[in-house]
Amino acid sequence: MNTWTFVKKYCKNNQGKLLLMLIVTLLYALLNLVSPLIFSFFIDNIIDNQPITNTLFSSLLNFLGGRDYVRDNLWIGAVLVLLVSVFLCISVFIRGRMNGIISENMSYHIRNDLYDHLQHLPYSYHVGAKTGDLVQRCTSDVEQVRKVFAGQLSEMIYSVATAFIAIVVLFSIYPPMAVLSIISMPLLIFYAYIFFKNTQKTFLDSDEAEGVMTTTIQESLSGIRVIKAFNRERYEIDRFEKKNEVFKDLTFKLIRLLGLYWSTSDLICLSQILLILVVGIYQAIAGNITVGNFFVFISYETMILWPIRNLGRILADIGKATVSAKRLNEIFNSPIEDATNGETPNVKGMIEFNHVDFQYHDANEPILKDITFTINPGETVAIIGPTGAGKSTLVHLLSRLYDYTGGSLKIDGNELNTIQREHIRKNIGIVLQEPFLFSKSIHDNIRLANRFNDDAKVERAARVASVHEVIQEFEQGYDTLVGEKGVTLSGGQKQRIAIARTIINETPILIFDDSLSAVDTETDAHIRGALNELNKETTKIIITQRVSSAQDADKIIVIEDGRITQIGNHESLINQDGLYKRIFEIQSSFIRGGDDND
């Protein structure tokens, strides 16, 4: 959707409030112009006893009891001004309240829709996106849009309405001076437009620089353990200072533009007021205008010029909001993943790869090439190979984070790309290589996928994952808060809690994506044994680089450079030349060497 469609969408639920805001803003502009007319009426028509040419004021005077009565009771003028002020205050209150309700409602729904859209974007989008930039769009850019509806829109309506009404009144009083009173308006409007165009580009650059800076902060805080381990604090500080300096320079450029606009527009406005003051005095002395009318001209001049001058700031803020809306639309215009359409067959665990290829859309060659193998329900299959061989890509294909680009991949006889993504992900449990724990209790992290899992299931999953005894040692047990990203736990503890979080769902297919590497071989063996005892019908895929994790599998698949080079069991593979035998010999000699040293 474009920017206009974006605005219409979020104004739709606030149409009544927007109309009320428009009405009270127009009323505010009108009432603001009434007080000088009341003063002029009392100065010229009551005190100076000049004839009344305005029908409205003539009717008002008759209603108040006549000229003599009002002259003897000048407090009536004060009451009229007070009444106008009261209604003025009421309109200001309603306008402010509507501004607040409209802006907060809009930002509330934008944030909700934005977060919902981000959650439903495909995995490939998030791989290429920068987290800090997305955070900045969800906060600063939404705030820029909110600010326009929090006051800038009603200010613009007020400025235009005030100028229009005031000009009509001034031309009805004395056209020659009215022309002089608006002589600088075209210049101010043109200057405001030029300022708006300049700030729009500068703000975009500043906004993007802030996104880069936010990304740098997010990366540094996420990797603080690595930074400290490698003494990289100084490097990270220097890196942040460079990003911060770029943001500072662009922000200063905005400030300089603002300073230039305010100073020169002030000079134009003050010169215009001085012109009307001097000309008005001469015209009053010459008898072309009355003292009261001179007072109206001076009062209205400020009421016209300052709002018109503020249009530059308002247009600049609208320009910022336009840029922000475009940045938000870049997210909204990204197509979401279709997770709900497709078949929902009964999944038992039969997996068939038949000449499967996969290539990233921006890659020059396939990552996986001609992959063919079969896994029967209940089998344990290990996939082993060097880093970058394509092992984890297989996991992405099975869970439909990516769709294969060639061949056939079937689950229990059903083509995978016809199965509903939500359905297949409910039936495949994945323990990732790098476990992510949320800033919650251990108990809540384990039952994350299904909050209705009871304590008995949580404890059973923890026992299978060999982490129950560790949890019991914590002062608060399962209620222990793990901290952001599980920072309070060791790598092995986080990995075992992540394993418990996956196996508690009892899915028919269970995948360990090199997730046992963070635990020792004894714990690894205990977890695999406990899993076999837990459910013999579960199909288990173990992606690993460790022979000890693969040797008990029913089938071992060796992948090199995106191709399958060996398939067999442990005994058959160590007796044939190939990568598996070499890895086995290297790891066996390492273990024997360690034992000899002991």
Side-chain angles (χ1 to χ4, degrees), residues 133-166:
D133 181 62
L134 292 180
V135 170
Q136 198 257 347
R137 294 187 192 213
C138 293
T139 52
S140 296
D141 286 326
V142 174
E143 176 64 14
Q144 285 296 336
V145 175
R146 187 199 68 82
K147 281 170 63 178
V148 168
F149 290 90
Q152 303 302 334
L153 181 61
S154 63
E155 277 296 313
M156 185 170 67
I157 295 170
Y158 167 75
S159 299
V160 174
T162 298
F164 178 77
I165 298 171

Short mmCIF file of all heavy atoms in Angstrom, two decimals, residues 133-166:
data_model
loop_
_atom_site.label_atom_id
_atom_site.label_comp_id
_atom_site.label_asym_id
_atom_site.label_seq_id
_atom_site.Cartn_x
_atom_site.Cartn_y
_atom_site.Cartn_z
N ASP A 133 17.50 -2.09 12.84
CA ASP A 133 16.72 -1.25 11.94
C ASP A 133 15.22 -1.53 12.11
O ASP A 133 14.41 -0.59 12.11
CB ASP A 133 17.13 -1.51 10.49
CG ASP A 133 16.37 -0.65 9.50
OD1 ASP A 133 16.49 0.59 9.59
OD2 ASP A 133 15.65 -1.20 8.66
N LEU A 134 14.84 -2.79 12.27
CA LEU A 134 13.43 -3.13 12.48
C LEU A 134 12.93 -2.55 13.81
O LEU A 134 11.80 -2.05 13.88
CB LEU A 134 13.25 -4.66 12.48
CG LEU A 134 13.47 -5.36 11.14
CD1 LEU A 134 13.26 -6.87 11.29
CD2 LEU A 134 12.56 -4.81 10.06
N VAL A 135 13.76 -2.62 14.84
CA VAL A 135 13.38 -2.04 16.14
C VAL A 135 13.17 -0.54 16.01
O VAL A 135 12.21 0.03 16.54
CB VAL A 135 14.46 -2.34 17.20
CG1 VAL A 135 14.20 -1.54 18.48
CG2 VAL A 135 14.49 -3.84 17.52
N GLN A 136 14.07 0.11 15.25
CA GLN A 136 13.97 1.56 15.08
C GLN A 136 12.70 1.94 14.31
O GLN A 136 12.04 2.93 14.61
CB GLN A 136 15.22 2.06 14.33
CG GLN A 136 15.45 3.56 14.45
CD GLN A 136 15.04 4.29 13.19
OE1 GLN A 136 14.81 3.68 12.17
NE2 GLN A 136 14.96 5.59 13.28
N ARG A 137 12.32 1.13 13.33
CA ARG A 137 11.10 1.39 12.58
C ARG A 137 9.87 1.20 13.46
O ARG A 137 8.89 1.95 13.35
CB ARG A 137 11.01 0.47 11.36
CG ARG A 137 12.09 0.74 10.32
CD ARG A 137 11.88 -0.06 9.06
NE ARG A 137 13.07 0.01 8.20
CZ ARG A 137 13.04 -0.01 6.88
NH1 ARG A 137 11.88 -0.07 6.26
NH2 ARG A 137 14.13 0.03 6.18
N CYS A 138 9.92 0.20 14.33
CA CYS A 138 8.77 -0.08 15.20
C CYS A 138 8.64 0.94 16.33
O CYS A 138 7.60 0.99 17.00
CB CYS A 138 8.90 -1.48 15.82
SG CYS A 138 8.75 -2.81 14.62
N THR A 139 9.66 1.75 16.57
CA THR A 139 9.62 2.73 17.66
C THR A 139 9.65 4.16 17.11
O THR A 139 8.63 4.84 17.11
CB THR A 139 10.79 2.49 18.64
OG1 THR A 139 12.04 2.43 17.90
CG2 THR A 139 10.60 1.17 19.38
N SER A 140 10.79 4.58 16.60
CA SER A 140 10.94 5.98 16.16
C SER A 140 10.03 6.33 14.99
O SER A 140 9.42 7.41 14.97
CB SER A 140 12.40 6.24 15.76
OG SER A 140 13.25 6.11 16.87
N ASP A 141 9.91 5.43 14.02
CA ASP A 141 9.09 5.75 12.85
C ASP A 141 7.60 5.79 13.20
O ASP A 141 6.86 6.65 12.70
CB ASP A 141 9.34 4.74 11.73
CG ASP A 141 10.67 4.97 11.04
OD1 ASP A 141 11.08 6.13 10.93
OD2 ASP A 141 11.32 3.99 10.63
N VAL A 142 7.17 4.89 14.06
CA VAL A 142 5.78 4.94 14.52
C VAL A 142 5.54 6.23 15.31
O VAL A 142 4.49 6.86 15.18
CB VAL A 142 5.45 3.71 15.39
CG1 VAL A 142 4.05 3.84 15.99
CG2 VAL A 142 5.53 2.44 14.56
N GLU A 143 6.53 6.65 16.10
CA GLU A 143 6.41 7.87 16.89
C GLU A 143 6.28 9.10 15.99
O GLU A 143 5.52 10.03 16.29
CB GLU A 143 7.62 8.01 17.81
CG GLU A 143 7.67 9.30 18.62
CD GLU A 143 6.52 9.45 19.61
OE1 GLU A 143 5.81 8.46 19.88
OE2 GLU A 143 6.32 10.58 20.12
N GLN A 144 7.00 9.12 14.87
CA GLN A 144 6.90 10.25 13.94
C GLN A 144 5.50 10.37 13.36
O GLN A 144 4.95 11.46 13.23
CB GLN A 144 7.93 10.09 12.80
CG GLN A 144 9.35 10.38 13.20
CD GLN A 144 9.57 11.82 13.62
OE1 GLN A 144 8.84 12.72 13.23
NE2 GLN A 144 10.58 12.05 14.43
N VAL A 145 4.91 9.24 13.02
CA VAL A 145 3.53 9.25 12.50
C VAL A 145 2.57 9.70 13.59
O VAL A 145 1.65 10.49 13.35
CB VAL A 145 3.14 7.85 11.97
CG1 VAL A 145 1.68 7.83 11.54
CG2 VAL A 145 4.04 7.45 10.81
N ARG A 146 2.79 9.23 14.80
CA ARG A 146 1.92 9.60 15.93
C ARG A 146 1.95 11.11 16.17
O ARG A 146 0.91 11.72 16.44
CB ARG A 146 2.36 8.85 17.20
CG ARG A 146 1.40 9.04 18.39
CD ARG A 146 2.07 8.71 19.70
NE ARG A 146 3.10 9.68 20.02
CZ ARG A 146 2.86 10.87 20.58
NH1 ARG A 146 1.61 11.23 20.86
NH2 ARG A 146 3.85 11.70 20.83
N LYS A 147 3.13 11.70 16.09
CA LYS A 147 3.27 13.13 16.38
C LYS A 147 2.44 14.00 15.44
O LYS A 147 1.94 15.04 15.86
CB LYS A 147 4.76 13.52 16.29
CG LYS A 147 5.57 13.14 17.52
CD LYS A 147 7.05 13.34 17.29
CE LYS A 147 7.39 14.78 17.05
NZ LYS A 147 8.87 14.97 16.87
N VAL A 148 2.31 13.59 14.19
CA VAL A 148 1.52 14.38 13.23
C VAL A 148 0.08 14.47 13.70
O VAL A 148 -0.54 15.55 13.67
CB VAL A 148 1.59 13.75 11.83
CG1 VAL A 148 0.55 14.38 10.90
CG2 VAL A 148 2.98 13.94 11.25
N PHE A 149 -0.48 13.35 14.16
CA PHE A 149 -1.88 13.33 14.58
C PHE A 149 -2.03 13.76 16.04
O PHE A 149 -3.15 13.93 16.51
CB PHE A 149 -2.47 11.94 14.37
CG PHE A 149 -2.66 11.60 12.93
CD1 PHE A 149 -1.64 10.98 12.21
CD2 PHE A 149 -3.82 11.93 12.27
CE1 PHE A 149 -1.80 10.69 10.86
CE2 PHE A 149 -4.00 11.65 10.93
CZ PHE A 149 -2.98 11.02 10.22
N ALA A 150 -0.91 13.93 16.74
CA ALA A 150 -0.97 14.40 18.13
C ALA A 150 -1.04 15.91 18.22
O ALA A 150 -1.18 16.46 19.31
CB ALA A 150 0.25 13.89 18.91
N GLY A 151 -0.95 16.63 17.08
CA GLY A 151 -1.02 18.08 17.15
C GLY A 151 -0.74 18.80 15.84
O GLY A 151 -1.31 19.85 15.56
N GLN A 152 0.15 18.19 15.01
CA GLN A 152 0.55 18.89 13.80
C GLN A 152 -0.60 19.06 12.81
O GLN A 152 -0.73 20.11 12.17
CB GLN A 152 1.70 18.13 13.12
CG GLN A 152 2.92 17.91 14.00
CD GLN A 152 3.50 19.21 14.52
OE1 GLN A 152 3.35 20.26 13.91
NE2 GLN A 152 4.14 19.16 15.67
N LEU A 153 -1.44 18.03 12.70
CA LEU A 153 -2.56 18.12 11.76
C LEU A 153 -3.54 19.21 12.16
O LEU A 153 -3.95 20.04 11.34
CB LEU A 153 -3.28 16.77 11.68
CG LEU A 153 -4.46 16.68 10.71
CD1 LEU A 153 -4.00 16.96 9.28
CD2 LEU A 153 -5.15 15.32 10.80
N SER A 154 -3.91 19.25 13.44
CA SER A 154 -4.84 20.28 13.90
C SER A 154 -4.20 21.66 13.85
O SER A 154 -4.88 22.67 13.60
CB SER A 154 -5.33 19.97 15.32
OG SER A 154 -4.27 19.99 16.24
N GLU A 155 -2.88 21.74 14.07
CA GLU A 155 -2.18 23.02 13.97
C GLU A 155 -2.22 23.54 12.54
O GLU A 155 -2.37 24.74 12.31
CB GLU A 155 -0.73 22.86 14.42
CG GLU A 155 -0.53 22.93 15.92
CD GLU A 155 -0.89 24.30 16.48
OE1 GLU A 155 -0.46 25.32 15.90
OE2 GLU A 155 -1.62 24.36 17.48
N MET A 156 -2.07 22.65 11.58
CA MET A 156 -2.12 23.07 10.18
C MET A 156 -3.52 23.57 9.82
O MET A 156 -3.67 24.60 9.15
CB MET A 156 -1.73 21.90 9.27
CG MET A 156 -1.64 22.29 7.80
SD MET A 156 -0.92 21.01 6.74
CE MET A 156 -2.19 19.76 6.85
N ILE A 157 -4.55 22.85 10.28
CA ILE A 157 -5.93 23.29 10.04
C ILE A 157 -6.16 24.65 10.68
O ILE A 157 -6.76 25.55 10.07
CB ILE A 157 -6.92 22.25 10.60
CG1 ILE A 157 -6.80 20.93 9.84
CG2 ILE A 157 -8.36 22.77 10.53
CD1 ILE A 157 -7.56 19.79 10.47
N TYR A 158 -5.67 24.81 11.91
CA TYR A 158 -5.82 26.09 12.63
C TYR A 158 -5.13 27.22 11.87
O TYR A 158 -5.69 28.32 11.72
CB TYR A 158 -5.26 25.96 14.04
CG TYR A 158 -5.08 27.28 14.73
CD1 TYR A 158 -6.17 27.99 15.24
CD2 TYR A 158 -3.81 27.84 14.87
CE1 TYR A 158 -6.00 29.22 15.86
CE2 TYR A 158 -3.63 29.06 15.49
CZ TYR A 158 -4.72 29.75 15.99
OH TYR A 158 -4.55 30.96 16.59
N SER A 159 -3.91 26.95 11.40
CA SER A 159 -3.13 27.99 10.71
C SER A 159 -3.84 28.46 9.44
O SER A 159 -3.99 29.67 9.20
CB SER A 159 -1.73 27.46 10.35
OG SER A 159 -1.03 27.10 11.52
N VAL A 160 -4.30 27.52 8.63
CA VAL A 160 -4.96 27.86 7.37
C VAL A 160 -6.29 28.56 7.63
O VAL A 160 -6.62 29.58 7.00
CB VAL A 160 -5.17 26.59 6.52
CG1 VAL A 160 -5.99 26.91 5.27
CG2 VAL A 160 -3.82 25.99 6.14
N ALA A 161 -7.08 28.03 8.59
CA ALA A 161 -8.39 28.62 8.89
C ALA A 161 -8.24 30.03 9.45
O ALA A 161 -8.98 30.95 9.07
CB ALA A 161 -9.15 27.74 9.89
N THR A 162 -7.28 30.22 10.36
CA THR A 162 -7.06 31.54 10.96
C THR A 162 -6.67 32.55 9.89
O THR A 162 -7.21 33.68 9.85
CB THR A 162 -5.95 31.46 12.03
OG1 THR A 162 -6.36 30.58 13.07
CG2 THR A 162 -5.67 32.83 12.62
N ALA A 163 -5.73 32.16 9.02
CA ALA A 163 -5.28 33.07 7.97
C ALA A 163 -6.44 33.44 7.03
O ALA A 163 -6.62 34.62 6.69
CB ALA A 163 -4.14 32.43 7.18
N PHE A 164 -7.22 32.45 6.65
CA PHE A 164 -8.32 32.70 5.71
C PHE A 164 -9.37 33.64 6.32
O PHE A 164 -9.76 34.64 5.70
CB PHE A 164 -8.97 31.38 5.32
CG PHE A 164 -10.14 31.53 4.40
CD1 PHE A 164 -9.95 31.80 3.04
CD2 PHE A 164 -11.44 31.44 4.88
CE1 PHE A 164 -11.04 31.96 2.19
CE2 PHE A 164 -12.53 31.60 4.03
CZ PHE A 164 -12.33 31.87 2.68
N ILE A 165 -9.81 33.34 7.55
CA ILE A 165 -10.86 34.16 8.19
C ILE A 165 -10.34 35.57 8.44
O ILE A 165 -11.04 36.57 8.20
CB ILE A 165 -11.34 33.51 9.50
CG1 ILE A 165 -11.97 32.14 9.22
CG2 ILE A 165 -12.35 34.40 10.20
CD1 ILE A 165 -12.27 31.33 10.46
N ALA A 166 -9.11 35.66 8.93
CA ALA A 166 -8.53 36.97 9.24
C ALA A 166 -8.41 37.84 8.00
O ALA A 166 -8.70 39.04 8.02
CB ALA A 166 -7.16 36.79 9.91
#
